[in-house]
Amino acid sequence: MRVLAGFVASRLCLSSAFAPTSSFVPRASTYARSSSTALSGSGKPFCIVVEAEIKQDRMDEFLDLIEKDAVGSRGEPGCIRFDVLRSQDNPNKFFFYEAYTDADAVAFHKDQPHFALWTNFKESGGVVSSVSHKTDGWFMS
């Protein structure tokens, strides 16, 4: 047992060579874990996972607008998180992970100018495909 504990401890002590090089500091969660927090009808955060494939010739435009959408969304009062992920297998495929306190926060989000950037981009033919999955948040950090 002592050998195993030593092995685990040695693996937890990573050198500074593995420390992140960016100055990114994660935003504190706006999701208060208390019974008084207004959540979706299920009592859980309302989450959306979007899978979108972007046309390669529109990539620069997309990257500009999705950054604006993400930054604007994170400033909304009911937004818990808004993450943009890029596939390692297909550089034209992205996933958005969005979490909101409730359905009203999602409705508010859809009325914002930064959301309109994404909607207009889709309507103009900038995407190959886009699928949204509505979910309830379980075991969130």
Side-chain angles (χ1 to χ4, degrees), residues 81-133:
R81 70 182 309 127
F82 191 108
D83 297 331
V84 178
L85 311 167
R86 191 174 203 170
S87 172
Q88 293 179 359
D89 299 325
N90 178 351
N92 297 327
K93 187 170 280 193
F94 289 81
F95 302 89
F96 315 150
Y97 174 68
E98 308 172 40
Y100 301 90
T101 54
D102 54 30
D104 290 339
V106 174
F108 178 84
H109 169 68
K110 290 182 177 183
D111 285 338
Q112 301 309 301
H114 50 265
F115 178 78
L117 296 172
W118 168 241
T119 302
N120 295 339
F121 181 78
K122 287 192 307 182
E123 290 173 355
S124 73
V127 300
V128 174
S129 63
S130 176
V131 179
S132 297
H133 305 276

